């Protein structure tokens, strides 16, 4: 499926088109579009706040959230980085110098805060008491049940009322701590509400009402990418968004595919219409030939069978097969 992104700030659009392939990490290309697009859509909806991510690695998803951010909003990157002894399940491996190089290479602003910490230590460090301030909180650090639960509680207590939380690897069969942590958090009374599922990430809102608002906002922002609506999950309904081949639109009207998606992107809508037309013509030609065959084969065969039965005998099985394929001659 081909789809057009919403109009994105040039830094974001440029990163999606040519940076995504260069930065190492774990992020589906369509999910990169969903993260980038929803960050911008929140702004047009006047949802104010900072953005944060736990689990940076080299910054692949963090760049989607932080590039093109207004100068008065901050992007907070949290990772154990050098302290890999705190990375208890070896989920990725944060590398601060590489991350900082990527921030510079793709044009991140000065409004980035880098916090070297295990998410398990954030509460003690006063991260939660600093209050509700994030409009997007992405969770992609340690993938154990304990860490996932911890990170969901931290996110719940620091996102603004109209904010959202993004949980990575929720359906990854290699990292079942994440889904265990999600259900553990919900069973313990967590108030975040599943709203939208994009490839490999679950998006949660702060209430049932906000989940509905986000499902509507996704539908308005990515109108052609909804794959399945109203899928029940943990007592709620989520909308599932597809993997697609995206044409990325920047503010300067430049449109281009994500690197690696070019072959699909060249099949433009016009070309698809042309191909559909050719298919329709071919189908009607086939129908005409079938009709001619039906009209011709009965008299021919009968004549042959009557006049030269010894000659018709070998073709009888073929005739039967033709009749089976074509339907009975009328
Ligand atoms: C799967 S990677 C993150 C991938 C990244 N979001 C991307 O877009 O490629 C997980 C990251 O979490 C970090 N990490 C692991 N345990 C953590 C913890 N308890 N607190 C903070 N970061 C942690 C790792 O160092 C690693 O960089």
């Amino acid at each position: 499926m081909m789809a057009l992104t919403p109009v994105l700030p040039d830094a974001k659009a440029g990163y999606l088109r040519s940076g995504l392939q260069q930065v190492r990490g774990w992020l589906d290309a369509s999910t990169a579009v969903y993260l980038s697009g929803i960050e911008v859509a929140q702004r047009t909806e006047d949802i104010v706040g900072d953005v944060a991510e736990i689990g940076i690695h080299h910054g692949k998803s963090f760049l989607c959230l932080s590039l093109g951010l207004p100068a008065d909003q901050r992007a907070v990157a949290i990772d154990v980085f050098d302290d890999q002894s705190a990375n208890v399940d070896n989920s990725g491996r944060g590398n601060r110098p590489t991350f900082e190089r990527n921030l510079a290479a793709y044009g991140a602003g000065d409004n980035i805060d880098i916090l070297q910490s295990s998410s398990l230590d954030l509460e003690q460090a006063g991260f939660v008491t600093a209050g509700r301030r994030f409009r997007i909180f992405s969770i992609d650090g340690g993938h154990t049940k304990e860490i996932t639960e911890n990170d969901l509680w931290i996110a719940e207590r620091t996102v603004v009322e109209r904010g959202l939380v993004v949980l990575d690897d929720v359906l990854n069969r290699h990292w079942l701590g994440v889904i265990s942590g999600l259900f553990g958090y919900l069973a313990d009374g967590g108030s975040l509400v599943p709203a939208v599922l994009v490839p490999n990430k679950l998006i949660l809102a702060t209430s049932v009402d906000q989940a509905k608002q986000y499902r509507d906002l996704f539908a308005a922002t990515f109108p052609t990418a909804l794959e399945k609506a109203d899928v029940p999950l943990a007592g709620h309904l989520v909308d599932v968004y597809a993997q697609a081949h995206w044409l990325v639109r920047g503010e300067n009207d430049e449109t281009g595919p994500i690197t690696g998606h070019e072959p699909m992107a060249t099949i433009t809508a016009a070309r698809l219409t042309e191909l559909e037309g050719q298919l329709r013509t071919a189908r009607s030609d086939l129908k005409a030939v079938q009709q001619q065959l039906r009209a011709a084969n009965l008299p021919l065969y009968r004549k042959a069978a009557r006049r030269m039965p010894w000659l018709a005998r070998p073709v009888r099985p073929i005739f039967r097969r033709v009749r089976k394929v074509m339907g009975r001659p009328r």
Side-chain angles (χ1 to χ4, degrees):
M1 179 181 75
M2 277 298 302
L4 266 178
T5 70
V7 174
L8 299 171
D10 288 336
K12 261 187 173 49
Y15 169 63
L16 286 181
R17 282 191 215 113
S18 54
L20 206 55
Q21 284 255 316
Q22 310 301 322
V23 177
R24 288 201 182 166
W26 295 269
L27 183 64
D28 182 276
S30 294
T31 298
V33 169
Y34 293 128
L35 290 182
S36 306
I38 204 67
E39 186 277 307
V40 175
Q42 276 189 331
R43 282 193 259 149
T44 54
E45 293 292 305
D46 290 328
I47 301 174
V48 179
D50 297 339
V51 301
E53 180 165 64
I54 297 175
I56 300 299
H57 193 65
H58 296 179
K60 198 172 178 100
S61 49
F62 185 80
L63 285 160
C64 296
L65 301 177
S66 59
L67 292 177
L69 207 62
D72 62 345
Q73 296 181 3
R74 306 209 62 83
V76 182
I78 304 152
D79 198 293
V80 294
F81 290 120
D82 282 349
D83 183 14
Q84 283 296 313
S85 61
N87 185 356
V88 291
D89 58 349
N90 291 318
S91 46
R93 193 179 178 84
N95 183 316
R96 188 165 174 165
T98 309
F99 172 49
E100 289 185 357
R101 265 200 306 279
N102 286 333
L103 288 175
Y106 296 105
D110 298 329
N111 48 351
I112 310 283
D113 298 326
I114 302 177
L115 206 55
Q116 176 168 331
S117 167
S118 165
S119 61
L120 294 173
D121 299 332
L122 286 176
E123 182 159 12
Q124 220 173 10
F127 188 85
V128 174
T129 47
R132 296 189 175 278
R133 55 205 184 277
F134 300 114
R135 62 183 167 93
I136 301 185
F137 198 119
S138 164
I139 299 174
D140 192 9
H143 283 38
T144 65
K145 178 175 188 282
E146 182 205 9
I147 296 175
T148 303
E149 284 182 6
N150 171 80
D151 294 359
L152 282 166
W153 284 112
I154 295 219
E156 181 195 302
R157 291 152 71 196
T158 54
V159 286
V160 296
E161 193 211 330
R162 296 172 70 203
L164 56 79
V165 174
V166 183
L167 180 61
D168 187 66
D169 273 337
V170 75
L171 295 179
N172 186 331
R173 68 188 198 279
H174 294 169
W175 299 97
L176 296 175
V178 177
I179 193 147
S180 309
L182 170 68
F183 280 99
Y185 159 82
L186 292 173
D188 287 347
S191 64
L192 294 172
V193 177
V196 170
L197 194 64
V198 297
N200 218 29
K201 291 187 195 279
L202 177 67
I203 291 169
L204 304 107
T206 58
S207 65
V208 171
D209 179 50
Q210 280 301 311
K212 172 80 182 73
Q213 305 274 338
Y214 268 110
R215 292 169 69 195
D216 291 346
L217 188 57
F218 261 77
T221 311
F222 310 105
T224 57
L226 178 66
E227 199 168 42
K228 190 168 182 197
D230 298 334
V231 179
L233 173 66
H236 301 282
L237 294 177
V238 300
D239 290 342
V240 179
Y241 279 77
Q243 282 177 315
H245 285 82
W246 294 92
L247 281 174
V248 181
R249 285 191 290 182
E251 273 168 341
N252 59 4
D253 279 345
E254 207 181 299
T255 301
I258 293 175
T259 307
H261 288 190
E262 293 89 344
M264 259 313 279
T266 56
I267 303 181
T268 58
R271 178 78 181 123
L272 277 176
T273 314
E274 193 185 326
L275 288 172
E276 274 170 6
Q278 285 175 9
L279 189 63
R280 260 196 303 276
T281 312
R283 277 205 189 115
S284 85
D285 286 355
L286 184 66
K287 220 178 211 167
V289 170
Q290 279 175 335
Q291 272 164 0
Q292 281 170 14
L293 274 171
R294 274 196 199 116
N297 72 14
L298 181 65
L300 257 181
Y301 174 77
R302 283 215 176 124
K303 235 182 239 171
R306 222 176 295 125
R307 293 206 184 144
M308 300 165 278
W310 70 95
L311 209 65
R313 208 167 299 131
V315 293
R316 207 165 280 157
I318 301 169
F319 176 74
R320 272 198 214 107
R321 191 162 300 167
V322 168
R323 221 164 45 168
K324 208 168 166 190
V325 174
M326 299 294 202
R328 287 197 142 274
R330 282 171 222 129

